[in-house]
């Protein structure tokens, strides 16, 4: 792997993380909540229609989740654009540690809440987001 490839891949990582933000933002309003509701239904496999966005607390949590994920994606994009050339290894490790921290807490919480199937989805997202960033650039 080269620094140039890592820098380019960080754009993909930013998209993977940040793309969940608008989906969960849509869950804040009943009229647009179907993409978020369907995403939760998929992530809590099997798809059974039991997930809903009728409770105001669910919509509020969706607003927080959407904001954090979109902001995290934007932050990764900005790190690759404005910081990576100055500290490529620091940026790579920061993004990698952030992704691993997300994976551990999200997976533990998913399992504890009875949604263990989400751990498999988390593995897929982790592998996509980390990709070649796992190894240091030469």
């Amino acid at each position: 792997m080269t620094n140039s490839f890592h820098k380019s891949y960080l754009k993909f990582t930013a998209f993977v993380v940040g793309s969940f933000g608008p989906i969960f933002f849509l869950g804040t309003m009943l009229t647009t909540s179907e993409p978020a509701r369907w995403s939760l239904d998929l992530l809590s496999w099997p798809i059974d229609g039991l997930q809903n966005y009728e409770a105001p607390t669910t919509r509020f949590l969706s607003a927080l989740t959407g904001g954090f994920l979109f902001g995290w994606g934007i932050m990764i994009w900005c790190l690759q654009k404005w910081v990576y050339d100055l500290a490529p290894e620091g940026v790579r490790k920061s993004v990698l540690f952030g992704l691993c921290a997300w994976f551990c807490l999200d997976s533990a919480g998913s399992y504890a809440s009875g949604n263990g199937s989400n751990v498999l989805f988390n593995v897929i997202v982790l592998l996509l987001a980390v990709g070649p960033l796992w190894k240091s650039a030469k």
Side-chain angles (χ1 to χ4, degrees):
M1 295 304 129
T2 64
N3 280 347
S4 176
F5 186 70
H6 272 182
K7 187 174 180 179
S8 294
Y9 199 85
L10 282 166
K11 291 178 184 177
F12 178 74
T13 301
F15 178 77
V16 168
V17 172
S19 66
F20 289 96
I23 292 169
F24 286 105
F25 167 76
L26 291 172
T28 63
M29 301 160 285
L30 283 175
T31 56
T32 59
S33 65
E34 185 55 24
R37 190 215 57 80
W38 187 87
S39 296
L40 280 184
D41 204 11
L42 173 69
L43 296 174
S44 65
W45 192 265
I47 298 175
D48 52 18
L50 295 178
Q51 305 300 319
N52 67 65
Y53 269 74
E54 293 170 15
T57 52
T58 304
R59 293 194 303 274
F60 176 54
L61 187 58
S62 197
L64 295 173
T65 303
F68 283 127
L69 288 170
F70 189 69
W72 187 18
I74 295 296
M75 183 194 66
I76 294 169
W77 187 279
C78 292
L79 285 171
Q80 71 79 30
K81 182 163 182 63
W82 296 315
V83 182
Y84 187 85
D85 292 335
L86 301 172
E89 195 60 9
V91 169
R92 182 189 73 83
K93 286 180 180 179
S94 295
V95 172
L96 185 61
F97 277 77
L99 289 168
C100 289
W102 155 79
F103 175 80
C104 290
L105 201 59
D106 188 294
S107 295
S110 294
Y111 183 79
S113 70
N115 294 286
S117 61
N118 187 51
V119 176
L120 176 61
F121 289 105
N122 285 351
V123 169
I124 294 167
V125 171
L126 180 68
L127 292 174
L128 281 171
V130 168
L133 300 175
W134 190 254
K135 293 182 84 173
S136 191
K138 294 179 181 170

